Amino acid sequence: MAGGLVAFPTETVYGLGANAEDEAGVKKIYLAKDRPADHPLIVHIAHPSDLDHFAKSVPDYANDLMRDFWPGPMTLILPRTKNAKDFITGNQETVGLRIPNHPVALALLLAYKNQGGHGIAAPSANRYGSVSPTDAKAVETELGDRLDADDMILDGGTSEVGLESTIIDCTGLSPKILRPGAITAEMIEGSTSMVVADPTTNSIRVSGSHAKHYSPKARVIIGSEAQAGEGFIALSDHPTPLGAIRLAEPNNNDEFAAVLYSALRAADKQHLTVVHVLPPEGDGIAIAIRDRIQRAAAG
Ligand code: TXA
Ligand code: MG
């Protein structure tokens, strides 16, 4: 990696990584993604003992969460130490940390730690605003022409979860969900015995409040009214409208999360201009799925 970038698999989505303490490397990430400089990056670490290097004032409930859900699809926002520089935190006094649960990511983080590294900063390995990649080929499609010869893409198969990590603000008296994911409010409450603030649960109803993000080139419309020649994504018990192009028919919500991004990518690959997505109902990971669909359809 030494100064270069490495795209690597995680169980959520693929990340584009650089040494979290190397300003030049981190700058290369922002350039490759076209990402605004004030958007903070998540620092990936190998072990909970590496947390103290970047974060301090860790509340008891955050320790509960780490014990129960790391390695896993969960990012904790904590007060930063001086080692989490402005170029990582977007000038904020907090830092985001995660231990991913993927053998290739963990091997990379451990190898890096054994060379004296403390953490790898990595946003999702896509262009800014675009759909996060869930396999190595999608990383190539997103960033292939923006990586240098000495940058690397590690292929670790298809990301199992398929949606970005749950982000939990751990700077207050109790945990607060900033981005919903596979670690749900219910799971957080079970782990911490605290009531969780989750402003994301009613995401499907507050239409228009989300910035456009996670978007394919095709226009995303929420619902099942696809016309002939338009794309359609829904649970398998919803029939395909006449003449529409079925891009995914997941059997349950976990499968829906896992295939959503590749199905949106397939719409672009087939040069579709419109894709209709019927979001799943209910709690659990359905909340995160609705959040991402809402964002893909915004703007
Ligand atoms: O699953 C994931 O989280 C993936 C994989 C690669 O780990 N990463 C990911 O990174 O989704 P990215 O950069 O695409 O999204 C990170 C989100 C951004 O919305 C950013 O604003 C937020 O995390 N974030 C990072 N540090 C933060 C901080 N200190 N305070 C608040 N939000 C923060
Ligand atoms: Mg992203």
Side-chain angles (χ1 to χ4, degrees), residues 143-298:
L143 300 175
D145 59 349
R146 297 172 175 209
L147 297 180
D148 292 339
D150 56 344
D151 296 333
M152 277 186 304
I153 300 177
L154 303 179
D155 190 343
T158 303
S159 297
E160 238 181 277
V161 174
L163 298 179
E164 302 78 0
S165 60
T166 305
I167 299 182
I168 307 171
D169 180 352
C170 297
T171 63
L173 291 176
S174 61
K176 183 176 167 201
I177 296 179
L178 300 182
R179 178 176 72 183
I183 303 299
T184 63
E186 203 180 6
M187 293 162 76
I188 298 167
E189 289 182 344
S191 166
T192 63
S193 306
M194 294 182 120
V195 175
V196 179
D198 184 4
T200 65
T201 38
N202 55 3
S203 60
I204 202 70
R205 273 169 280 150
V206 288
S207 161
S209 75
H210 288 310
K212 192 173 175 74
H213 215 72
Y214 311 105
S215 299
K217 292 196 188 79
R219 185 153 71 94
V220 175
I221 296 175
I222 295 174
S224 57
E225 313 283 277
Q227 306 292 306
E230 296 179 341
F232 185 59
I233 300 169
L235 284 166
S236 56
D237 50 0
H238 292 276
T240 309
L242 197 67
I245 297 149
R246 190 71 179 235
L247 297 167
E249 40 191 338
N251 292 311
N252 54 53
N253 291 349
D254 286 338
E255 276 184 39
F256 204 128
V259 301
L260 175 62
Y261 288 162
S262 59
L264 292 175
R265 266 175 207 291
D268 285 347
K269 213 167 169 186
Q270 297 178 45
H271 305 290
L272 305 184
T273 52
V274 179
V275 48
H276 293 251
V277 188
L278 186 61
E281 292 169 2
D283 295 340
I285 198 161
I287 293 169
I289 299 171
R290 291 199 294 272
D291 171 75
R292 303 313 192 276
I293 293 171
Q294 188 89 11
R295 287 170 194 272

